[in-house]
Amino acid sequence: MSEEKPGKEKKDLIDTLKEKSNEFVTDAQEALDSAKDLIDDAFSDENIENVKKKTTEYSDKAKVKAAEFAAKAKETFEDLKGNASELASEAAEHLADFAEEAKEDFKEVKEKSKNFFQRLFSK
């Protein structure tokens, strides 16, 4: 079960990252679409000024979303890095245990084989 937890945490982190990415892309696309519509409708100086304000507003929102996305991505990648490091440590620990057990098993098989051949050839 401990093997499933880090994998699930990674999957959750990746899913969160994907979700935030999709939100960012959607928000940015909405901002661009809205700015396009405003520019198409701009015939007067007042409309041009309103378009400039809205574009700046959406641009600022996109910058904020990009900063939030970058911060979340950094946090997620740090978590993934930590989980990978933890998994590597656990794997190294298990590998050392496995090697020790294999050494003991080999020693036991060697001794049993020796006894077997001694009994076989002494009769």
Side-chain angles (χ1 to χ4, degrees):
M1 181 125 191
S2 64
E3 292 176 13
E4 293 175 15
K5 188 177 180 184
K8 183 179 181 338
E9 288 176 359
K10 285 182 185 178
K11 184 181 182 312
D12 290 345
L13 290 171
I14 290 170
D15 289 345
T16 299
L17 183 61
K18 285 180 183 177
E19 180 181 325
K20 294 296 182 183
S21 297
N22 288 336
E23 288 176 13
F24 174 75
V25 169
T26 300
D27 289 346
Q29 186 62 46
E30 288 175 4
L32 291 174
D33 290 344
S34 179
K36 244 189 208 179
D37 291 341
L38 290 172
I39 289 170
D40 290 340
D41 293 339
F43 294 109
S44 67
D45 289 340
E46 183 181 336
N47 285 341
I48 291 173
E49 201 56 42
N50 285 336
V51 167
K52 287 180 182 178
K53 287 178 186 177
K54 287 292 183 182
T55 302
T56 301
E57 179 184 326
Y58 285 119
S59 176
D60 292 343
K61 284 182 182 181
K63 287 177 186 176
V64 168
K65 288 287 186 181
E68 289 172 359
F69 171 76
K72 186 65 177 175
K74 182 179 179 182
E75 178 183 322
T76 300
F77 287 125
E78 288 297 322
D79 288 345
L80 287 174
K81 187 171 100 175
N83 286 340
S85 178
E86 183 180 324
L87 287 174
S89 295
E90 286 181 25
E93 182 180 318
H94 291 299
L95 186 59
D97 291 344
F98 175 75
E100 186 62 33
E101 288 175 16
K103 182 179 175 183
E104 290 173 9
D105 289 346
F106 181 74
K107 196 177 194 179
E108 184 179 330
V109 167
K110 182 180 169 185
E111 189 62 37
K112 285 182 179 181
S113 297
K114 181 181 172 184
N115 289 338
F116 171 77
F117 284 114
Q118 284 176 346
R119 281 185 276 141
L120 179 69
F121 291 113
S122 69
K123 290 185 180 183

PDB file of all heavy atoms in Angstrom, residues 12-27 69 72:
ATOM      1  N   ASP A  12      -2.198  12.635  -8.462  1.00  0.00           N
ATOM      2  CA  ASP A  12      -3.012  13.769  -8.013  1.00  0.00           C
ATOM      3  C   ASP A  12      -2.321  15.088  -8.335  1.00  0.00           C
ATOM      4  O   ASP A  12      -2.960  16.043  -8.788  1.00  0.00           O
ATOM      5  CB  ASP A  12      -3.294  13.681  -6.507  1.00  0.00           C
ATOM      6  CG  ASP A  12      -4.249  12.550  -6.168  1.00  0.00           C
ATOM      7  OD1 ASP A  12      -4.913  12.012  -7.073  1.00  0.00           O
ATOM      8  OD2 ASP A  12      -4.338  12.220  -4.964  1.00  0.00           O
ATOM      9  N   LEU A  13      -1.017  15.144  -8.105  1.00  0.00           N
ATOM     10  CA  LEU A  13      -0.270  16.370  -8.401  1.00  0.00           C
ATOM     11  C   LEU A  13      -0.284  16.664  -9.893  1.00  0.00           C
ATOM     12  O   LEU A  13      -0.477  17.808 -10.313  1.00  0.00           O
ATOM     13  CB  LEU A  13       1.178  16.251  -7.905  1.00  0.00           C
ATOM     14  CG  LEU A  13       1.382  16.248  -6.400  1.00  0.00           C
ATOM     15  CD1 LEU A  13       2.827  15.915  -6.050  1.00  0.00           C
ATOM     16  CD2 LEU A  13       0.991  17.581  -5.797  1.00  0.00           C
ATOM     17  N   ILE A  14      -0.102  15.624 -10.690  1.00  0.00           N
ATOM     18  CA  ILE A  14      -0.110  15.811 -12.143  1.00  0.00           C
ATOM     19  C   ILE A  14      -1.503  16.221 -12.605  1.00  0.00           C
ATOM     20  O   ILE A  14      -1.641  17.122 -13.440  1.00  0.00           O
ATOM     21  CB  ILE A  14       0.378  14.534 -12.846  1.00  0.00           C
ATOM     22  CG1 ILE A  14       1.880  14.353 -12.584  1.00  0.00           C
ATOM     23  CG2 ILE A  14       0.104  14.584 -14.342  1.00  0.00           C
ATOM     24  CD1 ILE A  14       2.440  13.018 -13.010  1.00  0.00           C
ATOM     25  N   ASP A  15      -2.545  15.590 -12.046  1.00  0.00           N
ATOM     26  CA  ASP A  15      -3.916  15.962 -12.402  1.00  0.00           C
ATOM     27  C   ASP A  15      -4.196  17.410 -12.034  1.00  0.00           C
ATOM     28  O   ASP A  15      -4.822  18.152 -12.799  1.00  0.00           O
ATOM     29  CB  ASP A  15      -4.922  15.037 -11.717  1.00  0.00           C
ATOM     30  CG  ASP A  15      -4.902  13.629 -12.318  1.00  0.00           C
ATOM     31  OD1 ASP A  15      -4.351  13.438 -13.409  1.00  0.00           O
ATOM     32  OD2 ASP A  15      -5.468  12.733 -11.668  1.00  0.00           O
ATOM     33  N   THR A  16      -3.740  17.838 -10.865  1.00  0.00           N
ATOM     34  CA  THR A  16      -3.919  19.226 -10.434  1.00  0.00           C
ATOM     35  C   THR A  16      -3.197  20.165 -11.385  1.00  0.00           C
ATOM     36  O   THR A  16      -3.731  21.195 -11.795  1.00  0.00           O
ATOM     37  CB  THR A  16      -3.384  19.423  -9.000  1.00  0.00           C
ATOM     38  OG1 THR A  16      -4.125  18.578  -8.128  1.00  0.00           O
ATOM     39  CG2 THR A  16      -3.536  20.862  -8.552  1.00  0.00           C
ATOM     40  N   LEU A  17      -1.984  19.792 -11.739  1.00  0.00           N
ATOM     41  CA  LEU A  17      -1.197  20.601 -12.669  1.00  0.00           C
ATOM     42  C   LEU A  17      -1.903  20.704 -14.018  1.00  0.00           C
ATOM     43  O   LEU A  17      -2.000  21.789 -14.593  1.00  0.00           O
ATOM     44  CB  LEU A  17       0.193  19.996 -12.831  1.00  0.00           C
ATOM     45  CG  LEU A  17       1.171  20.741 -13.709  1.00  0.00           C
ATOM     46  CD1 LEU A  17       1.437  22.131 -13.161  1.00  0.00           C
ATOM     47  CD2 LEU A  17       2.476  19.975 -13.799  1.00  0.00           C
ATOM     48  N   LYS A  18      -2.448  19.589 -14.510  1.00  0.00           N
ATOM     49  CA  LYS A  18      -3.177  19.599 -15.782  1.00  0.00           C
ATOM     50  C   LYS A  18      -4.413  20.493 -15.681  1.00  0.00           C
ATOM     51  O   LYS A  18      -4.705  21.261 -16.594  1.00  0.00           O
ATOM     52  CB  LYS A  18      -3.588  18.186 -16.164  1.00  0.00           C
ATOM     53  CG  LYS A  18      -2.458  17.334 -16.679  1.00  0.00           C
ATOM     54  CD  LYS A  18      -2.968  15.931 -17.025  1.00  0.00           C
ATOM     55  CE  LYS A  18      -1.853  15.025 -17.470  1.00  0.00           C
ATOM     56  NZ  LYS A  18      -2.336  13.659 -17.737  1.00  0.00           N
ATOM     57  N   GLU A  19      -5.131  20.358 -14.563  1.00  0.00           N
ATOM     58  CA  GLU A  19      -6.342  21.153 -14.376  1.00  0.00           C
ATOM     59  C   GLU A  19      -6.023  22.642 -14.364  1.00  0.00           C
ATOM     60  O   GLU A  19      -6.686  23.427 -15.044  1.00  0.00           O
ATOM     61  CB  GLU A  19      -7.019  20.743 -13.062  1.00  0.00           C
ATOM     62  CG  GLU A  19      -8.296  21.506 -12.779  1.00  0.00           C
ATOM     63  CD  GLU A  19      -8.917  21.085 -11.456  1.00  0.00           C
ATOM     64  OE1 GLU A  19      -8.826  19.898 -11.093  1.00  0.00           O
ATOM     65  OE2 GLU A  19      -9.474  21.955 -10.789  1.00  0.00           O
ATOM     66  N   LYS A  20      -4.974  23.018 -13.622  1.00  0.00           N
ATOM     67  CA  LYS A  20      -4.581  24.428 -13.563  1.00  0.00           C
ATOM     68  C   LYS A  20      -4.112  24.913 -14.936  1.00  0.00           C
ATOM     69  O   LYS A  20      -4.380  26.044 -15.327  1.00  0.00           O
ATOM     70  CB  LYS A  20      -3.478  24.644 -12.513  1.00  0.00           C
ATOM     71  CG  LYS A  20      -3.933  24.399 -11.094  1.00  0.00           C
ATOM     72  CD  LYS A  20      -4.998  25.368 -10.674  1.00  0.00           C
ATOM     73  CE  LYS A  20      -5.416  25.133  -9.240  1.00  0.00           C
ATOM     74  NZ  LYS A  20      -6.490  25.997  -8.815  1.00  0.00           N
ATOM     75  N   SER A  21      -3.428  24.051 -15.674  1.00  0.00           N
ATOM     76  CA  SER A  21      -2.974  24.402 -17.018  1.00  0.00           C
ATOM     77  C   SER A  21      -4.170  24.663 -17.921  1.00  0.00           C
ATOM     78  O   SER A  21      -4.188  25.648 -18.670  1.00  0.00           O
ATOM     79  CB  SER A  21      -2.121  23.275 -17.617  1.00  0.00           C
ATOM     80  OG  SER A  21      -0.967  23.075 -16.888  1.00  0.00           O
ATOM     81  N   ASN A  22      -5.158  23.778 -17.835  1.00  0.00           N
ATOM     82  CA  ASN A  22      -6.363  23.949 -18.650  1.00  0.00           C
ATOM     83  C   ASN A  22      -7.103  25.231 -18.285  1.00  0.00           C
ATOM     84  O   ASN A  22      -7.593  25.946 -19.159  1.00  0.00           O
ATOM     85  CB  ASN A  22      -7.283  22.739 -18.513  1.00  0.00           C
ATOM     86  CG  ASN A  22      -6.729  21.520 -19.217  1.00  0.00           C
ATOM     87  OD1 ASN A  22      -5.938  21.637 -20.139  1.00  0.00           O
ATOM     88  ND2 ASN A  22      -7.133  20.340 -18.780  1.00  0.00           N
ATOM     89  N   GLU A  23      -7.189  25.519 -16.987  1.00  0.00           N
ATOM     90  CA  GLU A  23      -7.836  26.757 -16.550  1.00  0.00           C
ATOM     91  C   GLU A  23      -7.088  27.967 -17.087  1.00  0.00           C
ATOM     92  O   GLU A  23      -7.698  28.926 -17.569  1.00  0.00           O
ATOM     93  CB  GLU A  23      -7.880  26.826 -15.023  1.00  0.00           C
ATOM     94  CG  GLU A  23      -8.859  25.884 -14.392  1.00  0.00           C
ATOM     95  CD  GLU A  23      -8.799  25.929 -12.870  1.00  0.00           C
ATOM     96  OE1 GLU A  23      -8.184  26.851 -12.300  1.00  0.00           O
ATOM     97  OE2 GLU A  23      -9.373  25.022 -12.269  1.00  0.00           O
ATOM     98  N   PHE A  24      -5.769  27.909 -17.008  1.00  0.00           N
ATOM     99  CA  PHE A  24      -4.951  29.018 -17.505  1.00  0.00           C
ATOM    100  C   PHE A  24      -5.172  29.222 -19.001  1.00  0.00           C
ATOM    101  O   PHE A  24      -5.374  30.344 -19.469  1.00  0.00           O
ATOM    102  CB  PHE A  24      -3.468  28.758 -17.209  1.00  0.00           C
ATOM    103  CG  PHE A  24      -2.558  29.768 -17.817  1.00  0.00           C
ATOM    104  CD1 PHE A  24      -2.449  31.045 -17.276  1.00  0.00           C
ATOM    105  CD2 PHE A  24      -1.827  29.453 -18.946  1.00  0.00           C
ATOM    106  CE1 PHE A  24      -1.612  31.979 -17.849  1.00  0.00           C
ATOM    107  CE2 PHE A  24      -0.989  30.387 -19.521  1.00  0.00           C
ATOM    108  CZ  PHE A  24      -0.882  31.650 -18.987  1.00  0.00           C
ATOM    109  N   VAL A  25      -5.147  28.130 -19.758  1.00  0.00           N
ATOM    110  CA  VAL A  25      -5.334  28.221 -21.204  1.00  0.00           C
ATOM    111  C   VAL A  25      -6.726  28.759 -21.517  1.00  0.00           C
ATOM    112  O   VAL A  25      -6.876  29.628 -22.382  1.00  0.00           O
ATOM    113  CB  VAL A  25      -5.098  26.841 -21.867  1.00  0.00           C
ATOM    114  CG1 VAL A  25      -5.539  26.841 -23.316  1.00  0.00           C
ATOM    115  CG2 VAL A  25      -3.636  26.450 -21.763  1.00  0.00           C
ATOM    116  N   THR A  26      -7.732  28.268 -20.807  1.00  0.00           N
ATOM    117  CA  THR A  26      -9.100  28.730 -21.028  1.00  0.00           C
ATOM    118  C   THR A  26      -9.222  30.222 -20.715  1.00  0.00           C
ATOM    119  O   THR A  26      -9.800  30.982 -21.507  1.00  0.00           O
ATOM    120  CB  THR A  26     -10.085  27.931 -20.151  1.00  0.00           C
ATOM    121  OG1 THR A  26      -9.974  26.547 -20.500  1.00  0.00           O
ATOM    122  CG2 THR A  26     -11.507  28.389 -20.356  1.00  0.00           C
ATOM    123  N   ASP A  27      -8.681  30.645 -19.573  1.00  0.00           N
ATOM    124  CA  ASP A  27      -8.729  32.070 -19.201  1.00  0.00           C
ATOM    125  C   ASP A  27      -7.998  32.936 -20.219  1.00  0.00           C
ATOM    126  O   ASP A  27      -8.483  34.012 -20.604  1.00  0.00           O
ATOM    127  CB  ASP A  27      -8.125  32.291 -17.812  1.00  0.00           C
ATOM    128  CG  ASP A  27      -9.003  31.756 -16.700  1.00  0.00           C
ATOM    129  OD1 ASP A  27     -10.185  31.461 -16.955  1.00  0.00           O
ATOM    130  OD2 ASP A  27      -8.502  31.640 -15.572  1.00  0.00           O
ATOM    131  N   PHE A  69       0.099  29.904 -12.003  1.00  0.00           N
ATOM    132  CA  PHE A  69       0.403  28.635 -12.642  1.00  0.00           C
ATOM    133  C   PHE A  69       1.868  28.264 -12.435  1.00  0.00           C
ATOM    134  O   PHE A  69       2.185  27.127 -12.090  1.00  0.00           O
ATOM    135  CB  PHE A  69       0.082  28.720 -14.143  1.00  0.00           C
ATOM    136  CG  PHE A  69       0.553  27.525 -14.915  1.00  0.00           C
ATOM    137  CD1 PHE A  69      -0.148  26.332 -14.848  1.00  0.00           C
ATOM    138  CD2 PHE A  69       1.686  27.593 -15.700  1.00  0.00           C
ATOM    139  CE1 PHE A  69       0.288  25.218 -15.551  1.00  0.00           C
ATOM    140  CE2 PHE A  69       2.126  26.490 -16.408  1.00  0.00           C
ATOM    141  CZ  PHE A  69       1.421  25.296 -16.341  1.00  0.00           C
ATOM    142  N   LYS A  72       2.418  27.194  -8.838  1.00  0.00           N
ATOM    143  CA  LYS A  72       1.837  25.872  -8.596  1.00  0.00           C
ATOM    144  C   LYS A  72       2.667  24.791  -9.289  1.00  0.00           C
ATOM    145  O   LYS A  72       2.904  23.720  -8.712  1.00  0.00           O
ATOM    146  CB  LYS A  72       0.380  25.829  -9.080  1.00  0.00           C
ATOM    147  CG  LYS A  72      -0.328  24.559  -8.733  1.00  0.00           C
ATOM    148  CD  LYS A  72      -0.479  24.388  -7.241  1.00  0.00           C
ATOM    149  CE  LYS A  72      -1.263  23.131  -6.917  1.00  0.00           C
ATOM    150  NZ  LYS A  72      -1.341  22.872  -5.495  1.00  0.00           N
TER     151      LYS A  72
END
